[in-house]
Amino acid sequence: MKKLTPHKDSEDIFGVLYETGKLINSTLDIATILKNIVEIMSVHFRSGDFSFLALEGERLLLKAALNHPRWGDSNYFIPLGKGITGTVAATGQPLNIGDVRKDKRYIGIRPKMLSELAVPVKIDGKVVGVFNLESPDINSFKEQDLKLLTALADQTAVAIKNARLYKSYADNVKRLSNLYESGKAINSSLHIGGILKALLETSSKELNYDSIAILLISNGRLYARAGLGFTSDEIASYSAAMGEGVCGKVAETGKPLIVSDVSKCDFYIEQSSRTKSEMAIPIKYGGKVMGVYNVESNNLNSFDNDDLLFISALSEQAAIAIKNAELFKEIESFSEVLQKKVNEATTELKNANEELQYLNKVKTDFLSIVSHELRTPMTSIVGYVSLLRDGECGPINQQQKEFLQIVQDESMRLYRLLSDLLDVQKIEAKRMIYIFKDFDFMGFLKKYSKEAERECKAKGLDFSLILPKNIPIIKADEDKIRQIMTNLVSNALKFTKKGGIKIELHVLPEFLQIEVSDTGIGISEANQKLLFEKFSQVNMEASREAGGTGLGLAITKSLVEAHGGKIWMESKPGHGSKFVFTMSRKLGNNLV
Amino acid sequence: MAGKKILVVDDEPNILKLVSFILASKGYDVIEASGGAEGITKAKAEKPDLIVLDVMMPKMDGFEAAKKLKADPATRDIPILMLSSKAQFEDKMKGIDSGAMDYITKPFEKDELLQKIDEFLES
């Protein structure tokens, strides 16, 4: 770049401004902007003794310079209002001092300087820094220089503003992305420890901190639950009452606090002697404070509003996650309690069931033994009585014969009752044994009907058997079929005084249907429902008279169902009854 | 049927007496045995036309006795009528050559017993 002589004419100024404008505005990075300004100064001003000081709080700090003796000294600053530069910063007005020796405000930093030009750099009317030119000559700076430097300062201000906006925008984007990532991390855990760890990791990337502590309220007091920059012992003993210290205050009021200088905070309670500034943000759920996010720094003024907003947003997410974790824990412990109760109940049930099974077995075994043991005396009684009754041991009279018949019948009834009880037990314990073989219903019924017919004739009743031409062979247990038929026919005989009994068989596509009809007393509709229940004798008197056990139909129903069939009845009181049952034609062999 | 020889095996004296009486009164030649082992000995010695065998007996029950009778060529062909419950019979007969074997359940009436015996001896 060629070194120009300034203020030749107005065209020159515009040319310079155009070029500098382009240069300054070509970047959004403040450091580059300042570097470019220095470059421009070295090109356009002869003196080259340029400096730019930025106003930070009450101090003007050297940010860019040419030929400055204190450049690079981080401790160097000019207090606001001191010297020519400090005055310009304080007033916001430029100063052109032709002879510094005559100005009391002048502080000599550069040696052998005689004139000085200083203009404020303002953003939105507020001074953010000062451009400063010095010269070893008296009255070195003219009106043109003032105009040019002012114009440069304005351009620089715009560039800095843009750069700051951009940085703020870029920071926000970064923070938003961080917030999003942390949200994912925080919400990916259902345990408080994991949530707090994710919270610490995210915030530590963003903050200028020396220590961070997350405190949660438990029984009306804050206790540190996680932290960075602390030992585990320090975390364990870190606690505060509501209203006590910065954290306690935040917990009590529910409002965040930034303490830029802890020495000036009257309610500050020292945790670490190195802490200079502190920021505390409430962690709230549903408007209620559940904890405090506290961050401390060993430097003054470490936290700004952006930090506060960022941590507040993070805390909101954390609050939801913590609440979820608490709920999850509750559910977990509830589910544990529930599981325990279910286990206990299951064990009790299992024990009860085992006991029941045992008792049921004892009952079945008992009945079985009783039934078998009774066979021998029954056999003797029935056998000897029949010998006597039939006159095998000598002649007897008609009344003797009748009485012996009663002994015989009642003995058999007693035995049947036990036998039925045993059958019911077997059915209930699922121990009934079935042997399914090819079964010829035609042959069976022809043979069986002879017995039935004989019994009907003995009672003065008619008997008829109606069969189709052919009956297909089915799989069935012959003994069980005999038991079913005997039960139905003996019931019909018991309750029929006149008329007769009819057995009919129909061949259906999937079943054989067998009907046993009588012209007996019949059964009311209400009683029909009870008929197949155990110990249900619809007409108890009639049944007793007829010698029933009340178990026959319940057993019959179960035997029919074991053959894949159904049993039902149709009846009108006074008009007889019809019992109908079906037998499946599709049973396999040896179904047990 | 008179003249046919029937061996009755039962440990219960009353039943043994009853069955023997019924059969004897119909003209059968009756031999008695009060246990499984005695039954086998008498079956070999007397060569009866039929054996009425009780199931529930101490020491050697009816099934064991039947198994031994069926295994011995000397007694193999003698038909056996067992006095048992149905379930007992069906259950236990598996594993025994049940040729010429049947059962009658206790308690029985004399006509039932005689009818079965007739069927056996006729065939």
Side-chain angles (χ1 to χ4, degrees):
Chain A
M1 256 183 228
K2 61 172 180 169
K3 196 151 184 166
L4 294 177
T5 306
H7 58 79
K8 274 201 174 164
D9 52 34
S10 60
E11 279 174 39
D12 245 341
I13 294 174
F14 292 128
V16 169
L17 283 175
Y18 174 69
E19 277 183 41
T20 54
K22 276 207 300 188
L23 200 53
I24 291 171
N25 286 304
S26 65
T27 178
L28 281 169
D29 177 54
I30 289 176
T32 311
I33 289 168
L34 294 176
K35 199 171 147 260
N36 288 345
I37 287 165
V38 170
E39 187 76 19
I40 290 158
M41 288 305 160
S42 71
V43 170
H44 294 291
F45 290 90
R46 277 171 307 178
S47 83
D49 294 325
F50 166 75
S51 54
F52 167 67
L53 298 99
L55 182 61
E56 289 187 10
E58 300 284 300
R59 295 167 174 191
L60 284 154
L61 305 173
L62 191 60
K63 295 290 183 182
L66 273 170
N67 306 325
H68 198 289
R70 301 293 292 273
W71 178 247
D73 179 355
S74 60
N75 288 324
Y76 173 72
F77 68 92
I78 296 170
L80 184 66
K82 296 286 177 187
I84 304 301
T85 306
T87 304
V88 167
T91 62
Q93 298 300 319
L95 281 173
N96 185 358
I97 311 298
D99 186 346
V100 295
R101 289 169 301 182
K102 290 177 186 167
D103 197 310
K104 286 177 190 168
R105 293 170 299 191
Y106 181 75
I107 311 163
I109 304 297
R110 286 190 170 93
K112 296 173 188 169
M113 292 295 150
L114 289 177
S115 57
E116 179 171 354
L117 177 63
V119 299
V121 178
K122 294 186 197 174
I123 294 176
D124 300 331
K126 198 182 155 202
V127 176
V128 296
V130 176
F131 270 8
N132 191 322
L133 279 170
E134 287 181 82
S135 166
D137 305 320
I138 290 179
N139 295 323
S140 186
F141 303 106
K142 305 292 183 269
E143 190 58 24
Q144 286 285 73
D145 294 316
L146 176 64
K147 281 182 181 168
L148 182 57
L149 196 60
T150 303
L152 276 173
D154 289 347
Q155 282 193 334
T156 304
V158 170
I160 288 173
K161 189 182 171 186
N162 287 344
R164 278 188 183 173
L165 282 173
Y166 173 74
K167 186 172 185 298
S168 158
Y169 167 76
D171 284 354
N172 280 337
V173 167
K174 196 175 152 220
R175 286 197 157 175
L176 274 174
S177 134
N178 241 337
L179 214 55
Y180 170 71
E181 291 301 324
S182 69
K184 280 203 297 190
I186 287 168
N187 285 304
S188 69
S189 178
L190 273 173
H191 294 281
I192 289 178
I195 292 162
L196 298 183
K197 191 165 165 266
L199 188 58
L200 284 175
E201 277 173 5
T202 314
S203 48
S204 65
K205 285 183 208 157
E206 284 292 323
L207 294 174
N208 180 17
Y209 76 100
D210 286 289
S211 60
I212 303 175
I214 296 165
L215 301 96
L216 296 179
I217 295 173
S218 175
N219 298 321
R221 205 179 157 83
L222 286 164
Y223 293 94
R225 298 288 300 272
L228 284 173
F230 293 102
T231 65
S232 52
D233 286 348
E234 280 170 332
I235 287 287
S237 63
Y238 190 173
S239 161
M242 301 297 279
E244 187 186 24
V246 175
C247 289
K249 206 63 130 185
V250 167
E252 195 178 59
T253 62
K255 294 200 168 78
L257 273 177
I258 292 177
V259 180
S260 300
D261 184 348
V262 295
S263 66
K264 288 176 185 165
C265 176
D266 53 4
F267 52 84
Y268 175 75
I269 295 169
E270 186 179 288
Q271 289 283 341
S272 157
S273 59
R274 298 181 304 278
T275 298
K276 295 270 169 54
S277 57
E278 180 174 356
M279 174 170 73
I281 284 150
I283 299 171
K284 290 202 261 189
Y285 183 83
K288 201 176 155 219
V289 178
M290 59 199 299
V292 173
Y293 183 99
N294 185 48
V295 48
E296 298 181 19
S297 166
N298 295 348
N299 297 312
L300 290 166
N301 303 309
S302 286
F303 310 107
D304 60 18
N305 211 41
D306 285 346
D307 295 329
L308 190 144
L309 287 175
F310 177 68
I311 297 301
S312 295
L314 210 54
S315 295
E316 273 174 39
Q317 288 188 331
I320 293 166
I322 289 168
K323 198 72 198 173
N324 284 345
E326 283 176 2
L327 287 173
F328 180 70
K329 207 178 163 195
E330 267 179 48
I331 290 167
E332 254 189 343
S333 64
F334 179 69
S335 139
E336 267 170 37
V337 169
L338 204 65
Q339 186 60 48
K340 209 177 148 213
K341 287 201 168 159
V342 166
N343 286 346
E344 281 170 10
T346 308
T347 308
E348 273 176 34
L349 272 176
K350 212 177 139 202
N351 291 344
N353 189 38
E354 273 170 16
E355 191 162 342
L356 271 177
Q357 276 183 352
Y358 171 74
L359 289 175
N360 202 35
K361 188 178 180 296
V362 167
K363 189 171 71 171
T364 309
D365 288 352
F366 171 77
L367 275 167
S368 176
I369 288 162
V370 166
S371 163
H372 285 129
E373 286 305 310
L374 270 166
R375 283 171 200 278
T376 303
M378 280 292 170
T379 306
S380 285
I381 293 166
V382 171
Y384 285 108
V385 166
S386 66
L387 288 177
L388 290 172
R389 178 198 62 193
D390 295 348
E392 303 271 356
C393 315
I396 55 167
N397 65 33
Q398 191 55 39
Q399 193 172 38
Q400 286 169 330
K401 188 174 179 172
E402 190 188 318
F403 288 0
L404 285 169
Q405 184 62 46
I406 290 169
V407 173
Q408 176 90 350
D409 288 348
E410 290 299 285
S411 300
M412 285 312 285
R413 182 178 169 195
L414 186 61
Y415 177 73
R416 269 201 312 277
L417 178 61
L418 272 153
S419 194
D420 281 359
L421 273 174
L422 190 64
D423 274 354
V424 168
Q425 281 302 307
K426 279 187 198 157
I427 287 163
E428 285 183 349
K430 296 191 167 59
R431 284 185 182 178
M432 185 66 98
I433 295 166
Y434 295 89
I435 296 171
F436 294 101
K437 290 178 184 163
D438 282 346
F439 178 66
D440 169 19
F441 231 122
M442 182 77 87
F444 169 82
L445 277 181
K446 279 181 176 166
K447 200 169 156 191
Y448 179 79
S449 64
K450 281 178 190 161
E451 290 173 38
E453 192 169 7
R454 194 165 53 239
E455 287 182 66
C456 280
K457 273 183 180 160
K459 275 195 82 179
L461 299 172
D462 299 331
F463 175 82
S464 59
L465 174 68
I466 300 168
L467 296 176
K469 274 187 182 168
N470 294 301
I471 302 175
I473 300 292
I474 61 164
K475 298 285 182 190
D477 183 323
E478 182 172 348
D479 287 321
K480 304 296 192 287
I481 301 289
R482 179 179 298 276
Q483 201 172 340
I484 293 165
M485 288 306 297
T486 300
N487 194 282
L488 296 180
V489 170
S490 66
N491 275 348
L493 279 166
K494 276 176 210 168
F495 299 107
T496 307
K497 297 258 157 68
K498 56 182 180 181
I501 291 169
K502 181 173 73 178
I503 297 175
E504 227 173 315
L505 189 146
H506 302 284
V507 179
L508 304 179
E510 293 188 15
F511 298 95
L512 297 184
Q513 182 166 308
I514 300 96
E515 300 170 4
V516 179
S517 321
D518 65 53
T519 53
I521 56 171
I523 299 162
S524 75
E525 207 166 313
N527 284 337
Q528 288 179 22
K529 288 174 189 166
L530 299 168
L531 216 55
F532 297 97
E533 304 283 317
K534 266 182 285 175
F535 298 108
S536 145
Q537 281 193 330
V538 168
N539 188 334
M540 291 303 279
E541 213 177 314
S543 182
R544 257 198 300 279
E545 194 185 308
T549 64
L551 294 169
L553 282 174
I555 295 167
T556 300
K557 179 170 183 263
S558 155
L559 299 179
V560 167
E561 283 168 357
H563 284 81
K566 280 182 183 171
I567 184 164
W568 66 94
M569 66 99 52
E570 294 153 17
S571 178
K572 252 189 194 174
H575 291 87
S577 307
K578 179 159 88 174
F579 283 81
V580 186
F581 70 94
T582 56
M583 298 266 102
S584 172
R585 292 173 59 184
K586 292 178 175 173
L587 285 183
N589 276 318
N590 300 318
L591 188 73
V592 174
Chain B
M1 292 302 136
K4 292 270 183 180
K5 199 189 276 180
I6 298 177
L7 171 63
V8 183
V9 188
D10 202 316
D11 64 309
E12 286 284 339
N14 288 338
I15 309 281
L16 186 60
K17 200 175 182 178
L18 175 71
V19 175
S20 300
F21 182 89
I22 293 168
L23 297 180
S25 66
K26 291 291 165 194
Y28 290 111
D29 188 2
V30 180
I31 307 149
E32 292 181 348
S34 57
E38 190 190 340
I40 291 168
T41 310
K42 290 201 168 161
K44 282 182 189 170
E46 302 282 346
K47 295 276 181 334
D49 298 296
L50 180 93
I51 302 171
V52 177
L53 184 59
D54 182 40
V55 166
M56 299 280 274
M57 292 188 294
K59 290 178 191 167
M60 187 192 287
D61 72 12
F63 294 115
E64 200 185 335
K67 215 170 189 172
K68 289 193 165 151
L69 290 166
K70 289 291 170 190
D72 191 334
T75 53
R76 180 160 56 200
D77 298 327
I78 306 169
I80 299 172
L81 178 66
M82 298 192 87
L83 293 178
S84 91
S85 78
K86 204 167 41 183
Q88 269 180 341
F89 185 80
E90 284 169 350
D91 216 24
K92 298 275 179 109
M93 285 322 286
K94 294 167 196 163
I96 300 177
D97 167 23
S98 60
M101 285 178 77
D102 203 348
Y103 67 94
I104 188 164
T105 57
K106 289 182 181 178
F108 54 87
E109 285 218 49
K110 65 176 177 18
D111 293 344
E112 201 185 345
L113 175 71
L114 290 169
Q115 195 188 332
K116 279 270 185 211
I117 286 173
D118 277 354
E119 281 173 20
F120 259 111
L121 293 178
E122 272 170 15
S123 59

